[in-house]
Amino acid sequence: MLFRSTGLGKTELKAKVTGVVRQGDYLILQVDTLEPVRWKIRAGISLPDMWVVIKSMMKPSNLKIMLSNKWTKEAEHPGEF
């Protein structure tokens, strides 16, 4: 997983998801950054946010990658995002 932040300029953070836990009406996405710094990031995802993610995943172009055989390959860099 890659992260970019306007507060960090062009710095990219490499990270991995370490868990998802329910806390009240939120799902808490737990992420550990690996490079260039080691941070623990948490994102609270509400039901309206989850709906946006689910609808986006159902688009044909996104379904195509989820149903592909690329699960074991290292992802190619997406370029500027």
Side-chain angles (χ1 to χ4, degrees):
M1 177 180 286
L2 297 175
F3 285 92
R4 298 272 320 264
S5 169
T6 56
L8 296 173
K10 292 189 178 246
T11 302
E12 287 183 3
L13 300 169
K14 290 186 180 179
K16 67 177 181 176
V17 175
T18 58
V20 177
V21 295
R22 182 174 178 184
Q23 192 167 325
D25 289 338
Y26 284 84
L27 289 181
I28 307 300
L29 179 67
Q30 300 168 333
V31 178
D32 287 351
T33 62
L34 307 170
E35 293 178 23
V37 294
R38 290 192 166 273
W39 291 338
K40 292 191 181 297
I41 298 172
R42 292 162 315 281
I45 306 169
S46 66
L47 284 171
D49 296 330
M50 282 184 259
W51 184 240
V52 170
V53 172
I54 291 168
K55 285 193 313 188
S56 297
M57 290 173 63
M58 292 300 157
K59 291 180 180 178
S61 60
N62 295 335
L63 276 175
K64 185 177 177 181
I65 194 169
M66 291 187 328
L67 299 175
S68 75
N69 60 354
K70 295 183 178 184
W71 289 89
T72 57
K73 289 176 54 177
E74 181 69 28
E76 292 182 28
H77 193 280
E80 188 68 27
F81 67 98

